[in-house]
Amino acid sequence: RQQMIPATAYPTAIQNPHSTSQMMLRISFTTPVCRRGYRGGMNLFQRTAKLFNAAFTPLLSLPVVGPALGKSMVTVSYTGRRSGKHVSLPVAYQRRGDEVVIGVAMPEQKQWWRNFLGEGADLTLHFPDGDRTGRAVASSGEGGTVVRVALA
């Protein structure tokens, strides 16, 4: 007999229908699933990161908070290599001219950067002053895991 796990709440940012400049938070729930695994096989860290990303990403587009966070955080968008799904998530970055370096902390717990292994893939960075596209290539070694983006 399988043990059921209670429903999990996921926040989603939506536009406030009463204001053009305010965002609202909508809470949705997943249906219970068995202990053998959550949908998509996500572990606790990945589920927590998904919650954080869903709540944090809209903050980057707010007029007051966005520019302050935009100095070190940016939202990246790309298409999943195997799933073909459009993915957006916030990352910390460093910009050096036409190159952006994204450090991947705890890479063994994360999957997204693996989309850029080998020859890499295209992605879009959503900076406060406008979107930029580029080619991202991931590398992992003794110095850590990084995704380097050559901006177009």
Side-chain angles (χ1 to χ4, degrees):
R1 184 168 182 200
Q2 297 177 352
Q3 182 180 359
M4 296 301 286
I5 298 172
T8 305
Y10 288 97
T12 305
I14 59 170
Q15 184 69 41
N16 184 341
H18 305 291
S19 171
T20 58
S21 64
Q22 291 182 340
M23 300 293 285
M24 293 174 47
L25 198 59
R26 173 187 292 159
I27 304 294
S28 56
F29 295 90
T30 63
T31 56
V33 296
C34 69
R35 183 163 296 283
R36 288 187 186 168
Y38 281 84
R39 281 182 222 147
M42 293 191 298
N43 62 32
L44 178 61
F45 176 83
Q46 291 167 329
R47 291 191 310 274
T48 304
K50 184 176 181 175
L51 276 170
F52 174 81
N53 291 346
F56 188 81
T57 301
L59 295 177
L60 291 172
S61 64
L62 293 176
V64 176
V65 180
L69 292 174
K71 294 177 183 174
S72 63
M73 299 291 294
V74 67
T75 302
V76 296
S77 298
Y78 62 92
T79 302
R81 181 170 49 184
R82 288 192 286 180
S83 69
K85 292 181 180 178
H86 181 77
V87 179
S88 293
L89 58 111
V91 295
Y93 75 98
Q94 291 180 345
R95 188 168 177 179
R96 300 178 186 134
D98 281 342
E99 181 183 56
V100 172
V101 179
I102 302 168
V104 182
M106 297 187 299
E108 65 282 351
Q109 296 288 330
K110 300 176 182 174
Q111 302 294 320
W112 72 268
W113 63 272
R114 292 177 172 94
N115 286 285
F116 306 104
L117 287 171
E119 294 181 16
D122 295 331
L123 63 67
T124 302
L125 296 111
H126 304 283
F127 292 109
D129 58 345
D131 296 351
R132 296 283 305 268
T133 58
R135 186 77 177 172
V137 178
S139 61
S140 189
E142 289 184 19
T145 301
V146 296
V147 176
R148 295 183 188 280
V149 183
L151 297 175

